[in-house]
Amino acid sequence: MNRAFHPTHIRMKEDHCGYAVELSLINAKRDTSVFQTGVAAHAILENIGKETNKNPEITREEIEQIANITAYNLTVKGRSYDGNPEPPMTMKQALDGMQLALKYVERNPLPADALYEKHFAFDESWNLVEYDSPEAEFRTMIDYVRIYTEIDEDGEEALVAEVRDFKTQWNISTDMLDNLQRRAQGLVVALAFPKIDVLKLQVHGLRGNQRIERIIYLNFERVTIQNWKDDIAFAINVLKAPQEPSPGLGCYSCPYAVTCRYNDPEDLHSIAKQYAIHHGKAKELEKKLKAITKENPILDEQFEIGYKPKKRNTTVPKAMTNLFNIWKENDGTIDAYLNLCNLTATEAKKIMTQLRKNGIDTKPIEETIFNVKEYSQFGISKKDITS
């Protein structure tokens, strides 16, 4: 294939450096462990989705069989990306990806009328071309595209394109809805399906079952699509230029750090050590400053350190009872009310404590209402030097 760019290259330039893009384009050796779990999850979702299109009545057993076969092939044969074969992944990577994909499908059954891992390619004038065309300048594969008709409450019909991007990273934040990758996906679908009225750009977090969405009403926001086209064209022109290496923090987690001659692992350790030292000093100073500024803040030309009064909404003691009475008066059901109240784990533990005071064994109850979820939290962890 010719030298065509992907949204992945744009993100690589932003997250790491332009030299990583150069290494990608010449198929340099890379550390695939950085993203193999995600590769497995995507491949399994793709195969489940495509089989669902053929067989809308697909069973749970058939879904699990597809997942197992896909994971097996990834560990025995590997995969091919843009015509470039990649080595097999580890069994753990494939199994972790399979678990994420199966959990997602269980919560979000895939429809039988969507496009999975859909390939798109455009020439320099933004004309749609074959994916492997020598004229292709920009290529992308979108995890999920579904085109369907939506009817509003007034009976008006709108042609909708729903675009999903599956993510296996822990942190799913709303800024993902307006990054260059999302703009590229929105632009591609708007150009490939010019008759759509509504564009729904979604990011689905496979680990925490999160979903965030941005809706573009194309009849009123055509200028947005044009702006995105200008942004992506600018990014492509930047990537066409000779790329300079920029060693530093961007080297951390870069898949090409293993072969990049500019990568200095010691520099990363130095940055991490400096952070740990300054973080520790800041915590010590914070304790002292909290005691010093209890009564009055410390003022400076550039900053103020101390306690500042803030306001927040709190509920009155009988708020839930009062709201429930109003809810009942307006024909609301108890189940619907309780669902809206969204009981937290902390509140549930308070109820368990009260039940135990009344002599009730709450252990069997706790097993039915609490669910342990993993999440990522940034910070410094001390190593266990005893093991």
Side-chain angles (χ1 to χ4, degrees):
M1 287 191 182
N2 67 318
R3 187 182 170 99
F5 297 101
H6 290 254
T8 305
H9 292 134
I10 298 173
R11 184 176 176 184
M12 199 175 288
K13 165 78 173 173
E14 294 291 280
D15 292 350
H16 306 297
C17 79
Y19 191 67
V21 178
E22 293 287 347
L23 292 173
S24 169
L25 291 169
I26 61 171
N27 298 319
K29 183 181 176 183
R30 61 179 178 170
D31 178 12
T32 55
S33 65
V34 175
F35 41 71
Q36 288 293 62
T37 296
V39 168
H42 280 74
I44 290 166
L45 288 172
E46 175 189 1
N47 288 342
I48 292 171
K50 287 180 176 177
E51 187 59 34
T52 303
N53 283 347
K54 298 176 189 173
N55 175 21
E57 303 301 320
I58 190 168
T59 65
R60 176 70 184 178
E61 289 75 17
E62 290 170 327
I63 287 172
E64 290 176 351
Q65 185 180 20
I66 292 166
N68 271 288
I69 291 170
T70 306
Y72 173 84
N73 287 333
L74 289 170
T75 55
V76 174
K77 302 175 183 176
R79 69 155 186 171
S80 178
Y81 180 77
D82 264 9
N84 300 310
E86 294 182 353
M89 63 180 65
T90 67
M91 288 184 284
K92 185 180 186 310
Q93 290 165 342
L95 290 172
D96 286 348
M98 181 169 71
Q99 185 180 38
L100 290 174
L102 289 175
K103 278 187 177 178
Y104 177 80
V105 173
E106 186 179 2
R107 296 165 177 158
N108 309 275
L110 296 176
D113 58 350
L115 303 170
Y116 299 94
E117 292 295 329
K118 175 64 177 173
H119 291 52
F120 298 94
F122 297 86
D123 64 16
E124 63 178 6
S125 300
W126 292 104
N127 298 306
L128 200 61
V129 295
E130 292 296 321
Y131 189 77
D132 57 356
S133 167
E135 302 300 317
E137 182 168 89
F138 185 70
R139 294 191 182 103
T140 188
M141 290 175 279
I142 297 182
D143 298 340
Y144 170 112
V145 181
R146 181 171 175 246
I147 310 296
Y148 61 94
T149 300
E150 198 169 69
I151 303 174
D152 65 18
E153 55 208 19
D154 298 321
E156 294 288 330
E157 291 188 356
L159 192 62
V160 178
E162 182 184 302
V163 181
R164 295 184 190 177
D165 189 13
F166 300 127
K167 296 290 187 187
T168 53
Q169 65 199 71
W170 287 101
N171 184 37
I172 304 298
S173 56
T174 53
D175 60 353
M176 291 180 174
L177 294 174
D178 195 37
N179 59 20
L180 284 174
Q181 185 185 21
R182 205 69 50 240
R183 294 179 195 181
Q185 290 177 346
L187 170 64
V188 163
V189 173
L191 293 177
F193 302 96
K195 293 183 179 180
I196 61 172
D197 304 301
V198 181
L199 183 59
K200 294 183 178 182
L201 298 175
Q202 301 175 352
V203 178
H204 289 232
L206 302 185
R207 293 191 187 273
N209 196 35
Q210 310 103 311
R211 191 197 84 167
I212 54 176
E213 180 181 63
R214 179 180 181 182
I215 300 177
I216 307 292
Y217 296 95
L218 295 173
N219 292 335
F220 308 101
E221 300 180 72
R222 281 289 168 189
V223 66
T224 300
I225 301 301
Q226 182 58 51
N227 290 339
W228 288 353
K229 186 190 285 187
D230 294 341
D231 293 342
I232 303 306
F234 174 82
I236 291 171
N237 284 331
V238 168
L239 294 177
K240 282 180 178 178
Q243 299 296 312
E244 294 294 326
S246 181
L249 277 176
C251 299
Y252 183 70
S253 79
C254 176
Y256 294 98
V258 290
T259 52
C260 178
R261 65 180 184 271
Y262 300 102
N263 176 38
D264 182 3
E266 287 304 314
D267 186 49
L268 290 178
H269 286 291
S270 173
I271 293 168
K273 189 173 285 187
Q274 287 180 57
Y275 173 79
I277 292 168
H278 289 302
H279 185 271
K281 286 182 178 178
K283 296 295 282 184
E284 286 180 19
L285 292 171
E286 186 178 291
K287 288 180 185 176
K288 293 177 182 178
L289 285 168
K290 280 184 175 180
I292 294 168
T293 60
K294 259 187 180 177
E295 301 297 331
N296 296 301
I298 294 174
L299 304 175
D300 186 88
E301 289 182 2
Q302 295 180 323
F303 60 81
E304 176 182 329
I305 295 180
Y307 293 89
K308 296 193 79 172
K310 290 189 174 182
K311 292 182 179 180
R312 64 182 176 190
N313 286 329
T314 60
T315 54
V316 298
K318 290 189 176 181
M320 286 193 73
T321 305
N322 294 340
L323 275 174
F324 182 60
N325 289 334
I326 297 169
W327 184 263
K328 281 197 302 183
E329 289 168 7
N330 288 275
D331 300 324
T333 65
I334 294 176
D335 285 345
Y337 180 76
L338 291 175
N339 285 334
L340 288 171
C341 287
N342 193 22
L343 181 70
T344 66
T346 302
E347 291 162 347
K349 285 175 183 176
K350 288 179 182 177
I351 295 171
M352 294 296 108
T353 301
Q354 189 60 47
L355 289 172
R356 283 194 294 272
K357 287 179 181 178
N358 295 339
I360 297 171
D361 179 11
T362 60
K363 194 169 183 180
I365 304 171
E366 290 173 12
E367 291 174 356
T368 64
I369 63 170
F370 289 120
N371 182 28
V372 178
K373 279 189 176 182
E374 289 185 359
Y375 67 98
S376 66
Q377 183 177 25
F378 176 79
I380 301 171
S381 305
K382 288 186 178 180
K383 283 187 176 179
D384 183 4
I385 58 174
T386 61
S387 58

